[in-house]
PDB file of all heavy atoms in Angstrom:
ATOM      1  N   ASN A 343     -26.902  -2.333   9.611  1.00  0.00           N
ATOM      2  CA  ASN A 343     -25.692  -2.088   8.821  1.00  0.00           C
ATOM      3  C   ASN A 343     -24.712  -1.134   9.488  1.00  0.00           C
ATOM      4  O   ASN A 343     -23.521  -1.163   9.184  1.00  0.00           O
ATOM      5  CB  ASN A 343     -26.051  -1.497   7.455  1.00  0.00           C
ATOM      6  CG  ASN A 343     -26.782  -2.457   6.564  1.00  0.00           C
ATOM      7  OD1 ASN A 343     -26.586  -3.667   6.640  1.00  0.00           O
ATOM      8  ND2 ASN A 343     -27.657  -1.916   5.703  1.00  0.00           N
ATOM      9  N   ALA A 344     -25.212  -0.252  10.355  1.00  0.00           N
ATOM     10  CA  ALA A 344     -24.378   0.828  10.878  1.00  0.00           C
ATOM     11  C   ALA A 344     -24.715   1.145  12.321  1.00  0.00           C
ATOM     12  O   ALA A 344     -25.878   1.065  12.738  1.00  0.00           O
ATOM     13  CB  ALA A 344     -24.553   2.087  10.024  1.00  0.00           C
ATOM     14  N   LEU A 345     -23.676   1.512  13.091  1.00  0.00           N
ATOM     15  CA  LEU A 345     -23.801   1.957  14.470  1.00  0.00           C
ATOM     16  C   LEU A 345     -23.002   3.237  14.663  1.00  0.00           C
ATOM     17  O   LEU A 345     -21.936   3.414  14.038  1.00  0.00           O
ATOM     18  CB  LEU A 345     -23.247   0.922  15.443  1.00  0.00           C
ATOM     19  CG  LEU A 345     -24.068  -0.299  15.836  1.00  0.00           C
ATOM     20  CD1 LEU A 345     -23.233  -1.182  16.768  1.00  0.00           C
ATOM     21  CD2 LEU A 345     -25.365   0.098  16.514  1.00  0.00           C
ATOM     22  N   ALA A 346     -23.479   4.116  15.535  1.00  0.00           N
ATOM     23  CA  ALA A 346     -22.698   5.292  15.933  1.00  0.00           C
ATOM     24  C   ALA A 346     -23.167   5.718  17.311  1.00  0.00           C
ATOM     25  O   ALA A 346     -24.376   5.656  17.610  1.00  0.00           O
ATOM     26  CB  ALA A 346     -22.881   6.416  14.937  1.00  0.00           C
ATOM     27  N   ALA A 347     -22.231   6.141  18.162  1.00  0.00           N
ATOM     28  CA  ALA A 347     -22.556   6.558  19.514  1.00  0.00           C
ATOM     29  C   ALA A 347     -22.287   8.053  19.670  1.00  0.00           C
ATOM     30  O   ALA A 347     -21.317   8.588  19.140  1.00  0.00           O
ATOM     31  CB  ALA A 347     -21.730   5.770  20.533  1.00  0.00           C
ATOM     32  N   GLY A 348     -23.167   8.719  20.375  1.00  0.00           N
ATOM     33  CA  GLY A 348     -22.987  10.137  20.658  1.00  0.00           C
ATOM     34  C   GLY A 348     -24.268  10.728  21.209  1.00  0.00           C
ATOM     35  O   GLY A 348     -25.368  10.159  21.045  1.00  0.00           O
ATOM     36  N   ASN A 349     -24.137  11.866  21.868  1.00  0.00           N
ATOM     37  CA  ASN A 349     -25.308  12.598  22.364  1.00  0.00           C
ATOM     38  C   ASN A 349     -26.187  11.728  23.283  1.00  0.00           C
ATOM     39  O   ASN A 349     -27.413  11.843  23.316  1.00  0.00           O
ATOM     40  CB  ASN A 349     -26.161  13.123  21.194  1.00  0.00           C
ATOM     41  CG  ASN A 349     -25.351  13.965  20.230  1.00  0.00           C
ATOM     42  OD1 ASN A 349     -24.753  14.958  20.606  1.00  0.00           O
ATOM     43  ND2 ASN A 349     -25.295  13.541  18.976  1.00  0.00           N
ATOM     44  N   GLY A 350     -25.520  10.808  24.015  1.00  0.00           N
ATOM     45  CA  GLY A 350     -26.254   9.957  24.945  1.00  0.00           C
ATOM     46  C   GLY A 350     -27.017   8.834  24.330  1.00  0.00           C
ATOM     47  O   GLY A 350     -27.827   8.169  24.992  1.00  0.00           O
ATOM     48  N   ARG A 351     -26.769   8.572  23.020  1.00  0.00           N
ATOM     49  CA  ARG A 351     -27.524   7.552  22.312  1.00  0.00           C
ATOM     50  C   ARG A 351     -26.610   6.657  21.490  1.00  0.00           C
ATOM     51  O   ARG A 351     -25.534   7.060  21.065  1.00  0.00           O
ATOM     52  CB  ARG A 351     -28.567   8.187  21.366  1.00  0.00           C
ATOM     53  CG  ARG A 351     -29.662   8.935  22.075  1.00  0.00           C
ATOM     54  CD  ARG A 351     -30.523   9.719  21.080  1.00  0.00           C
ATOM     55  NE  ARG A 351     -31.596  10.404  21.789  1.00  0.00           N
ATOM     56  CZ  ARG A 351     -31.451  11.590  22.403  1.00  0.00           C
ATOM     57  NH1 ARG A 351     -30.263  12.189  22.412  1.00  0.00           N
ATOM     58  NH2 ARG A 351     -32.482  12.141  23.034  1.00  0.00           N
ATOM     59  N   LEU A 352     -27.114   5.441  21.270  1.00  0.00           N
ATOM     60  CA  LEU A 352     -26.501   4.530  20.308  1.00  0.00           C
ATOM     61  C   LEU A 352     -27.442   4.500  19.110  1.00  0.00           C
ATOM     62  O   LEU A 352     -28.594   4.041  19.219  1.00  0.00           O
ATOM     63  CB  LEU A 352     -26.346   3.130  20.900  1.00  0.00           C
ATOM     64  CG  LEU A 352     -25.802   2.072  19.934  1.00  0.00           C
ATOM     65  CD1 LEU A 352     -24.329   2.346  19.625  1.00  0.00           C
ATOM     66  CD2 LEU A 352     -25.977   0.679  20.517  1.00  0.00           C
ATOM     67  N   TYR A 353     -26.989   5.017  17.974  1.00  0.00           N
ATOM     68  CA  TYR A 353     -27.803   5.107  16.770  1.00  0.00           C
ATOM     69  C   TYR A 353     -27.578   3.869  15.911  1.00  0.00           C
ATOM     70  O   TYR A 353     -26.439   3.388  15.753  1.00  0.00           O
ATOM     71  CB  TYR A 353     -27.453   6.355  15.976  1.00  0.00           C
ATOM     72  CG  TYR A 353     -27.673   7.637  16.751  1.00  0.00           C
ATOM     73  CD1 TYR A 353     -26.614   8.254  17.418  1.00  0.00           C
ATOM     74  CD2 TYR A 353     -28.921   8.240  16.802  1.00  0.00           C
ATOM     75  CE1 TYR A 353     -26.809   9.439  18.124  1.00  0.00           C
ATOM     76  CE2 TYR A 353     -29.124   9.431  17.489  1.00  0.00           C
ATOM     77  CZ  TYR A 353     -28.064  10.023  18.166  1.00  0.00           C
ATOM     78  OH  TYR A 353     -28.270  11.190  18.867  1.00  0.00           O
ATOM     79  N   LEU A 354     -28.674   3.349  15.333  1.00  0.00           N
ATOM     80  CA  LEU A 354     -28.638   2.133  14.546  1.00  0.00           C
ATOM     81  C   LEU A 354     -29.278   2.397  13.191  1.00  0.00           C
ATOM     82  O   LEU A 354     -30.364   2.984  13.102  1.00  0.00           O
ATOM     83  CB  LEU A 354     -29.407   1.028  15.277  1.00  0.00           C
ATOM     84  CG  LEU A 354     -29.512  -0.339  14.602  1.00  0.00           C
ATOM     85  CD1 LEU A 354     -28.142  -1.028  14.576  1.00  0.00           C
ATOM     86  CD2 LEU A 354     -30.531  -1.221  15.326  1.00  0.00           C
ATOM     87  N   GLY A 355     -28.604   1.978  12.123  1.00  0.00           N
ATOM     88  CA  GLY A 355     -29.158   2.118  10.782  1.00  0.00           C
ATOM     89  C   GLY A 355     -29.059   0.809  10.031  1.00  0.00           C
ATOM     90  O   GLY A 355     -28.202  -0.033  10.340  1.00  0.00           O
ATOM     91  N   GLY A 356     -29.915   0.620   9.060  1.00  0.00           N
ATOM     92  CA  GLY A 356     -29.888  -0.594   8.262  1.00  0.00           C
ATOM     93  C   GLY A 356     -31.148  -0.760   7.453  1.00  0.00           C
ATOM     94  O   GLY A 356     -31.743   0.213   6.969  1.00  0.00           O
ATOM     95  N   ARG A 357     -31.553  -2.021   7.302  1.00  0.00           N
ATOM     96  CA  ARG A 357     -32.837  -2.352   6.694  1.00  0.00           C
ATOM     97  C   ARG A 357     -33.695  -2.933   7.819  1.00  0.00           C
ATOM     98  O   ARG A 357     -33.702  -4.156   8.053  1.00  0.00           O
ATOM     99  CB  ARG A 357     -32.633  -3.326   5.539  1.00  0.00           C
ATOM    100  CG  ARG A 357     -33.848  -3.538   4.659  1.00  0.00           C
ATOM    101  CD  ARG A 357     -33.557  -4.557   3.585  1.00  0.00           C
ATOM    102  NE  ARG A 357     -32.635  -4.067   2.593  1.00  0.00           N
ATOM    103  CZ  ARG A 357     -32.979  -3.335   1.526  1.00  0.00           C
ATOM    104  NH1 ARG A 357     -34.255  -3.017   1.355  1.00  0.00           N
ATOM    105  NH2 ARG A 357     -32.073  -2.950   0.660  1.00  0.00           N
ATOM    106  N   ILE A 358     -34.365  -2.074   8.557  1.00  0.00           N
ATOM    107  CA  ILE A 358     -35.010  -2.424   9.826  1.00  0.00           C
ATOM    108  C   ILE A 358     -36.473  -2.020   9.781  1.00  0.00           C
ATOM    109  O   ILE A 358     -36.814  -0.913   9.341  1.00  0.00           O
ATOM    110  CB  ILE A 358     -34.318  -1.693  11.005  1.00  0.00           C
ATOM    111  CG1 ILE A 358     -32.825  -2.048  11.057  1.00  0.00           C
ATOM    112  CG2 ILE A 358     -34.990  -2.028  12.322  1.00  0.00           C
ATOM    113  CD1 ILE A 358     -32.030  -1.092  11.897  1.00  0.00           C
ATOM    114  N   SER A 359     -37.357  -2.905  10.279  1.00  0.00           N
ATOM    115  CA  SER A 359     -38.789  -2.567  10.308  1.00  0.00           C
ATOM    116  C   SER A 359     -39.340  -2.440  11.721  1.00  0.00           C
ATOM    117  O   SER A 359     -40.409  -1.827  11.914  1.00  0.00           O
ATOM    118  CB  SER A 359     -39.604  -3.611   9.535  1.00  0.00           C
ATOM    119  OG  SER A 359     -39.420  -4.905  10.097  1.00  0.00           O
TER     120      SER A 359
END
Side-chain angles (χ1 to χ4, degrees):
N343 292 330
L345 280 178
N349 306 302
R351 294 171 178 83
L352 176 69
Y353 300 95
L354 179 69
R357 191 182 290 275
I358 302 164
S359 60

